[in-house]
Amino acid sequence: MLVVTGMFVIIFLQLINLQLFSSKYKVDADNQGIFRKVIYPDRGIVFDRKGRAILQNTTIYDLMVIPGKIKGTDTAALLSILNIDSAEFHKRIIAAIIKNKSYRASVFEPLLSNEKMAKISENLYKLAPGYFMQERSVRDYPFEAGGNIFGYLGEVDSNILKNPAYEGYVMGDYIGRAGLEKTYEKVLMGQRGIEFWKRDNKNRLTEPLEDGNFDTAAIAGKNMYTAIDIELQALGEKLMENKLGSIVAVDPKTGGILAMVSSPTYKPKLLTGAERKKHYAELLLSPARPLFNRSVSATYSPGSTFKTLQALVGLHEAVITTHTTVSCSGAFYGCGGGKPMKCLDYGTFDLQNAIRMSDNTYFATVMQRVITNPKYPSQDSSLAVWDRYMYAFGLGHRLGIDVPSERPGNIPTPADFDKVYGKGAWNYCNFRSVSIGQGEVTTTPIQTANEMAYIANKGWYITPHLVDSMEDGDEFGMLAKFKEKHRAMDIPDSIFDVVQNGMQDVVERGTGGGAKVPGIAICGKTGTVENYYRGVKQPNHAFFCGFAPRENPKIAIMCVVENSGRFGGTYAAPIVGLMIEKYLNDTIAKNRMPIVEKFEKMNLIPPRIYSEMKTVDSMLHRKDSAYLIAKGYIKIIRDSMDVDAADEQEVLDQLKKEKDEQKKNQQKKEESDGKIKINTEAILPNEKKKPEPKDSVQ
């Protein structure tokens, strides 16, 4: 009796413990019967200047895994659905545990295709509770344009979680990785919600827990309104197809960016959906560098487009007047007879005609007078004054636009030349090429377009930007800097009038006639830019920049076509003319449509890029990812394009997987054929006996 009584007492006490004090089984029961579902909000919608949605949302699903709960699930069925092997399965599970612990949900297969989603839905009862599908709002693009503007989303990694700016993110979240998505992440992201659901004994969701009383609603991200004209953007991308370079168009009165084309670009849909990783790998390793935003990150010598700024400085410093004339007999001899700087136009020119004909000797003389100006005590101080003008024009520093990876370009300073030649051991002749936009001076396309806005406005600019306003106001104060006028130099309007006269002549009867549009007064400037790669001269870049109409300007614009081998008036000027016509007239005249078709079909990609394509293709098919790392190839791309380490690893994993699959297929083929076959490599006709250098934008 004592034994039986003791047993009942123990059982009774244990029941009291389980019912009143212990939470272990309650937690297990809740975990089995209750499902906590994260609700990801819709990201904010982005509109263009005419109110058209250019970046919106659609719904897709991720397959999530809780590694601690997968015991007993039908792994074989899952492998079959996802078309992966057991080695890949274990790799993903280990990665999930390392990143997010065994008891937390992690993404197992992101962005499921419709086919995979349907198959998993049919078999989900075999996979629960270790697996579940997470609904997620992903980006949708109504227009196939603007990839370099919008950027893309990527899964949060450990480096992001360490950044205090991203507090509150967890593994499995998606975050803006480039473009507007990255800059305005905290505006677009919204706030996650939570729903609690009941589950039956087969792990199927049945009904909300307590009628949803414990749920937290998701809050959608804020909508944004941009200055972009998506039709103008699409036209620019069409005109730059099969070319390297950029077009940037700005509203000079507001600083709003109307179009920002980086070519080659990519269709934004490629970096969303189930095939994202595959497309990202292809884009990342393309020698033409479509992920590299040339509009803000590429730096070029501006060439003769720089002469407009030299004219402003020369007139304001009073080292020339509008009537000052300079003669060119074939070269600038102001530094003696050794290696004189050539000019293409013989004759005597005043300022207006020097701008019209883009005479090198005239502007070399102007800058020489600026640097040797007797009102300053030394050439150091004269160059420092010249530097201040250039900084006031928006050069030599980042403008602060609202997309990542902007570069400052370069305006040479006295300190720079002291390092090269020794303090006081240099003079104007050491950097005379700067006077015509070559040598040490470099600018980005966005800076060049901003120069045109500065001249159009006769002495001021507003920092170029994409976003004009946000739904419910600028909560985070991100747009305040885009309302301020920058007017660092007080240059009289009369000086700008003289320069604008010359620029209008460039289009109407000078080197930029290709930009002419009937009925529109366009001011412009051509540029033909020499450039070198590893000490070897490359085909010239073609530049053209300008604004229109001259009275009450509405668009300031630039175009660069890399290594076109011709003058700025040949390729860049007609492209700018078409862009101006489209924006101001909202259409292109029917008789000018053949010009659009001509440029759309024109292929100006340099032959050395094709050589690089062949080289990269060889690496992809014959070497593994370790080779790419050892050669520094991935590092070069990452450093130049602000690529995240997580995305880089995805590419390397993809390369390794493709290489292994190709090796297996080759072995099977050889076994079936009974002998080894070696395919000869195709060689383009113009590549025979030529070196195969790698590309680099200078």
Side-chain angles (χ1 to χ4, degrees):
M1 288 293 292
L2 288 174
V3 172
V4 172
T5 302
M7 290 176 61
F8 274 107
V9 170
I10 291 171
I11 292 172
F12 180 71
L13 292 175
Q14 181 64 6
L15 288 173
I16 293 174
N17 176 56
L18 292 175
Q19 292 288 332
L20 301 179
F21 302 107
S22 175
S23 61
K24 178 178 183 297
Y25 291 100
K26 180 179 184 303
V27 171
D28 288 345
D30 287 345
N31 285 340
Q32 180 65 31
I34 299 173
F35 177 70
R36 179 180 182 273
K37 183 179 181 181
V38 178
I39 305 299
Y40 287 95
D42 286 342
R43 288 178 73 87
I45 299 173
V46 178
F47 298 90
D48 84 340
R49 66 188 301 104
K50 294 184 178 179
R52 295 169 289 205
I54 54 178
L55 180 55
Q56 55 190 28
N57 302 294
T58 188
T59 300
I60 202 164
Y61 288 83
D62 293 339
L63 179 63
M64 309 295 289
V65 63
I66 304 175
K69 295 185 178 182
I70 63 174
K71 187 176 181 180
T73 56
D74 192 343
T75 301
L78 180 64
L79 298 184
S80 176
I81 293 170
L82 299 181
N83 192 28
I84 60 175
D85 55 25
S86 58
E88 176 65 18
F89 169 81
H90 288 108
K91 176 185 173 182
R92 295 187 186 186
I93 293 297
I94 292 170
I97 294 172
I98 292 173
K99 288 197 300 185
N100 218 18
K101 309 297 182 183
S102 63
Y103 52 86
R104 291 178 180 158
S106 298
V107 177
F108 186 80
E109 175 86 359
L111 309 174
L112 295 168
S113 65
N114 291 334
E115 180 183 0
K116 288 181 180 179
M117 187 176 69
K119 290 181 179 179
I120 289 175
S121 296
E122 292 175 0
N123 293 273
L124 197 57
Y125 71 95
K126 301 178 183 179
L127 304 174
Y131 301 89
F132 63 92
M133 288 199 299
Q134 175 70 62
E135 181 180 305
R136 189 182 299 279
S137 175
V138 297
R139 287 314 211 180
D140 183 53
Y141 306 89
F143 299 87
E144 291 188 346
N148 288 103
I149 294 175
F150 302 138
Y152 56 90
L153 303 179
E155 190 177 347
V156 167
D157 61 27
S158 57
N159 290 327
I160 291 174
L161 294 180
K162 293 175 185 176
N163 189 335
Y166 300 115
E167 184 178 359
Y169 287 84
V170 297
M171 287 292 187
D173 287 351
Y174 279 69
I175 193 170
R177 287 289 184 90
L180 288 178
E181 296 278 26
K182 182 174 183 178
T183 301
Y184 292 100
E185 168 65 22
K186 58 185 177 183
V187 177
L188 295 169
M189 65 174 287
Q191 296 180 25
R192 293 185 299 270
I194 302 293
E195 290 181 355
F196 294 92
W197 288 76
K198 293 180 180 179
R199 288 197 289 202
D200 62 17
N201 60 348
K202 291 187 177 180
N203 291 297
R204 294 174 298 194
L205 301 183
T206 56
E207 60 181 349
L209 179 68
E210 299 291 337
D211 294 325
N213 289 334
F214 299 108
D215 295 351
T216 302
I219 301 176
K222 301 287 183 67
N223 297 336
M224 300 196 310
Y225 303 88
T226 70
I228 300 166
D229 184 321
I230 194 63
E231 290 184 353
L232 187 68
Q233 176 74 25
L235 173 63
E237 293 184 11
K238 179 189 292 187
L239 294 172
M240 290 296 290
E241 193 166 339
N242 290 318
K243 303 167 189 68
L244 305 183
S246 175
I247 303 172
V248 178
V250 176
D251 182 337
K253 300 303 182 189
T254 66
I257 296 173
L258 308 173
M260 189 167 70
V261 177
S262 177
S263 183
T265 185
Y266 58 91
K267 294 180 180 179
K269 289 182 180 179
L270 292 178
L271 294 185
T272 189
E275 297 291 306
R276 176 191 178 275
K277 287 184 180 180
K278 174 186 175 183
H279 295 147
Y280 186 87
E282 293 170 351
L283 293 170
L284 181 63
L285 294 179
S286 169
R289 305 168 76 186
L291 293 176
F292 180 65
N293 190 347
R294 286 170 163 83
S295 299
V296 297
S297 299
T299 56
Y300 307 87
S301 296
S304 294
T305 61
F306 198 61
K307 293 171 181 175
T308 56
L309 303 183
Q310 298 287 52
L312 292 176
V313 177
L315 288 171
H316 195 233
E317 285 295 302
V319 298
I320 60 169
T321 69
T322 56
H323 303 295
T324 299
T325 59
V326 174
S327 297
C328 176
S329 59
F332 170 70
Y333 293 101
C335 291
K339 295 185 179 179
M341 189 164 64
K342 294 181 180 179
C343 65
L344 299 178
D345 304 291
Y346 294 80
T348 300
F349 303 96
D350 61 11
L351 177 60
Q352 186 168 328
N353 283 299
I355 294 174
R356 176 176 67 89
M357 299 305 296
S358 196
D359 182 62
N360 287 347
T361 295
Y362 193 98
F363 292 99
T365 302
V366 170
M367 188 166 183
Q368 186 176 43
R369 293 184 182 183
V370 169
I371 297 303
T372 59
N373 193 337
K375 76 176 184 179
Y376 300 111
S378 67
Q379 293 190 67
D380 282 40
S381 55
S382 296
L383 182 59
V385 169
W386 181 84
D387 286 338
R388 285 197 291 272
Y389 278 100
M390 295 302 131
Y391 297 152
F393 300 154
L395 306 183
H397 59 89
R398 294 178 179 86
L399 292 169
I401 68 169
D402 51 354
V403 290
S405 306
E406 182 190 5
R407 292 191 176 178
N410 184 64
I411 294 297
T413 66
D416 294 332
F417 293 120
D418 286 344
K419 290 179 182 177
V420 176
Y421 301 103
K423 189 169 181 61
W426 53 270
N427 58 41
Y428 166 73
C429 293
N430 293 112
F431 59 91
R432 60 185 177 177
S433 57
V434 169
S435 64
I436 59 170
Q438 297 277 176
E440 292 83 359
V441 62
T442 61
T443 64
T444 61
I446 188 69
Q447 289 174 332
T448 305
N450 190 60
E451 291 173 25
M452 295 299 104
Y454 180 87
I455 296 175
N457 292 331
K458 297 184 178 180
W460 59 269
Y461 69 87
I462 294 175
T463 301
H465 56 279
L466 291 160
V467 176
D468 278 340
S469 62
M470 301 171 183
E471 180 184 16
D472 298 329
D474 184 13
E475 177 184 354
F476 302 103
M478 301 179 74
L479 304 182
K481 65 179 181 178
F482 302 134
K483 311 298 180 184
E484 177 187 355
K485 286 185 179 180
H486 297 274
R487 189 193 293 270
M489 290 285 177
D490 188 17
I491 300 176
D493 285 0
S494 58
I495 289 179
F496 286 99
D497 289 337
V498 173
V499 174
Q500 289 185 7
N501 288 340
M503 293 176 68
Q504 187 169 350
D505 282 351
V506 167
V507 177
E508 294 185 355
R509 56 192 187 93
T511 58
K516 192 180 297 184
V517 178
I520 300 176
I522 298 175
C523 294
K525 185 69 191 76
T526 53
T528 306
V529 182
E530 293 185 354
N531 62 101
Y532 294 80
Y533 178 79
R534 294 183 177 176
V536 179
K537 192 177 187 308
Q538 302 297 311
N540 293 331
H541 299 324
F543 262 75
F544 187 85
C545 56
F547 59 89
R550 178 173 177 178
E551 300 300 326
N552 190 25
K554 293 181 173 61
I555 181 172
I557 185 169
M558 74 80 61
C559 173
V560 54
V561 182
E562 291 181 25
N563 300 127
S564 69
R566 299 299 299 275
F567 300 110
T570 307
Y571 296 127
I575 289 174
V576 166
L578 291 167
M579 294 287 285
I580 289 175
E581 180 178 6
K582 170 62 179 173
Y583 182 68
L584 295 182
N585 295 344
D586 203 33
T587 187
I588 293 176
K590 186 175 181 180
N591 66 330
R592 285 171 53 82
M593 285 304 297
I595 306 176
V596 176
E597 296 169 4
K598 170 186 172 183
F599 276 89
E600 182 182 2
K601 296 175 182 177
M602 190 180 294
N603 190 332
L604 298 176
I605 294 179
R608 68 186 179 90
I609 295 298
Y610 289 113
S611 295
E612 180 66 13
M613 288 177 178
K614 185 179 65 168
T615 302
V616 172
D617 183 67
S618 177
M619 287 192 293
L620 288 174
H621 290 86
R622 298 180 186 178
K623 304 290 182 181
D624 59 14
S625 56
Y627 176 89
L628 297 177
I629 296 174
K631 293 296 183 183
Y633 190 76
I634 293 290
K635 184 178 186 301
I636 291 171
I637 297 173
R638 182 181 66 224
D639 292 346
S640 63
M641 287 187 281
D642 196 24
V643 173
D644 290 286
D647 285 332
E648 172 191 317
Q649 190 56 51
E650 288 179 4
V651 172
L652 295 178
D653 291 343
Q654 179 77 13
L655 291 173
K656 186 69 165 60
K657 184 177 180 180
E658 290 177 358
K659 180 206 175 235
D660 291 342
E661 290 177 355
Q662 186 182 28
K663 187 175 180 180
K664 290 178 182 177
N665 293 335
Q666 183 66 22
Q667 288 175 344
K668 290 179 181 178
K669 184 178 179 182
E670 290 171 0
E671 290 172 0
S672 63
D673 290 348
K675 59 181 179 180
I676 298 176
K677 294 181 179 179
I678 301 176
N679 294 323
T680 57
E681 199 172 347
I683 301 176
L684 295 177
N686 62 346
E687 292 179 334
K688 294 179 180 179
K689 299 182 180 179
K690 289 185 178 180
E692 299 177 4
K694 291 183 179 178
D695 183 31
S696 176
V697 177
Q698 297 297 326

